[in-house]
Amino acid sequence: APNYDLAVLHTSTPSFASDVRVVKSLKAANPGLKVGFVEAKIAVEPRASLESSPAIDFVAGNEFDFIIKEVAQDRDWNTIAGLSYRDAAGAIRHNPPRAILENMDELPFVTPVYKRDLTIENYFIGYLKHPYISLYTGRGCKSRCTFCLWPQTVGGHRYRTRSVGNVMEEIRWAKDAFPYVKEFFFDDDTF
């Protein structure tokens, strides 16, 4: 574990200014806090994102789940592929991009994290049976829809999927852990 407190925020272009204000408030309360941002805006504009506020210590590009794991494991930031960060002198540094994950079965199941950290009954979407669990089984998309930012920014244009057996194993686990769930929703674009 790192020798500092760590916060990671999922941001977007519309929420970015508000997210920066939240980070400034968090750092005012905890000056030793290290803060990073993830998601599409960051993958497209790592330098501009860091330049927008000295309160942002790092941003993580593609495959950010692995990048954040390495930050949380206290790896030296200059060795973490896909990380852009502010060094001790305040200079912005960009590490080489992270390789795209090919074996999607390497991803840990998300449902144990839901069990540990969420009261899923508190989450509601009008088009799903309540309570529900939402998860992804793939990344990327072969389509080239002009209205969608995901393949152009973080997912890529190759659709990579978890194996059927891996997905079945997670759903089996989740059904035992959440016997009251009425719907499992696969949030994949092309599933």
Side-chain angles (χ1 to χ4, degrees):
N3 59 358
Y4 49 82
D5 291 331
L6 178 63
V8 178
L9 284 79
H10 183 280
T11 192
S12 66
T13 300
S15 70
F16 189 75
S18 294
D19 296 337
V20 169
R21 285 193 301 274
V22 168
V23 166
K24 288 177 181 177
S25 295
L26 290 171
K27 285 194 155 199
N30 182 353
L33 182 67
K34 298 291 183 190
V35 176
F37 280 4
V38 298
E39 209 34 88
K41 175 184 176 31
I42 300 311
V44 173
E45 301 178 327
R47 176 170 292 282
S49 298
L50 284 165
E51 286 175 344
S52 71
S53 174
I56 304 170
D57 297 297
F58 66 91
V59 297
N62 292 333
E63 308 295 355
F64 65 77
D65 32 18
F66 292 99
I67 297 167
I68 298 306
K69 179 182 177 185
E70 291 179 15
V71 169
Q73 290 171 336
D74 206 19
R75 293 255 325 263
D76 189 354
W77 286 10
N78 68 355
T79 68
I80 301 174
L83 187 73
S84 295
Y85 63 98
R86 197 177 309 284
D87 68 16
I92 293 175
R93 305 282 181 215
H94 301 283
N95 293 344
R98 187 158 205 103
I100 296 296
L101 179 66
E102 297 298 333
N103 180 2
M104 296 296 291
D105 289 353
E106 290 180 26
L107 290 170
F109 292 170
V110 70
T111 49
V113 176
Y114 291 172
K115 182 74 175 174
R116 183 190 71 209
D117 296 338
L118 299 177
T119 304
I120 64 166
E121 300 86 348
N122 292 345
Y123 298 89
F124 178 83
I125 293 181
Y127 58 86
L128 297 177
K129 295 177 184 174
H130 186 264
Y132 73 95
I133 286 181
S134 173
L135 63 151
Y136 287 90
T137 65
R139 288 184 178 172
C141 180
K142 293 179 182 181
S143 300
R144 302 217 180 254
C145 304
T146 58
F147 59 84
C148 183
L149 73 118
W150 301 113
Q152 288 76 253
T153 58
V154 296
H157 286 285
R158 264 186 325 99
Y159 189 51
R160 299 159 286 128
T161 61
R162 294 167 53 189
S163 68
V164 171
N166 181 266
V167 174
M168 288 175 58
E169 185 182 340
E170 181 165 18
I171 295 301
R172 246 185 242 109
W173 185 94
K175 285 180 75 172
D176 288 341
F178 300 99
Y180 49 88
V181 162
K182 293 182 181 164
E183 184 169 355
F184 290 91
F185 179 73
F186 297 100
D187 208 2
D188 300 86
D189 293 328
T190 57
F191 184 63

